[in-house]
Structure formats: structure tokens, C-alpha cells
Amino acid sequence: MNDNVIQFRRPKPPKTPRPGLRKLLVVLVVIAVFAAAWGYFQIFGQPVQ
């Protein structure tokens, strides 16, 4: 209606950090690194005598 009227709006609440999501990501990366290392040594490792 009037462009010179200030409209006060309630600010959106800040998102809360999710520490569980970060921990899950770290655990998945560690598991992926171990799986990649295991696969590498299965393919290119020395044969067992």
C-alpha cells in the first residue's frame, strides 16, 4: 500500500548446530578410509606365503 511505511518483522531464529551430524560424517569418513585401505591391500598387497 504505502511504500514509505516500515514493516517490522520478527527475525528468523538462527539454526542450531547439529553436532550429531558432524560426528556421523567423521565416523563415515573413517570407515571409508579403512575400507579403501583394505581394498588396496587386497588388490596390490604382497601374496601370503
Side-chain angles (χ1 to χ4, degrees):
M1 298 193 179
N2 291 333
D3 292 335
N4 61 351
V5 175
I6 298 175
Q7 295 180 357
F8 292 98
R9 294 189 181 125
R10 180 172 280 176
K12 294 181 180 178
K15 292 184 178 180
T16 57
R18 297 182 180 176
L21 187 62
R22 186 173 179 98
K23 288 180 184 178
L24 179 63
L25 182 63
V26 169
V27 168
L28 289 177
V29 167
V30 169
I31 291 172
V33 167
F34 278 115
W38 177 81
Y40 173 80
F41 286 111
Q42 288 296 317
I43 296 171
F44 299 113
Q46 296 289 330
V48 179
Q49 295 180 354

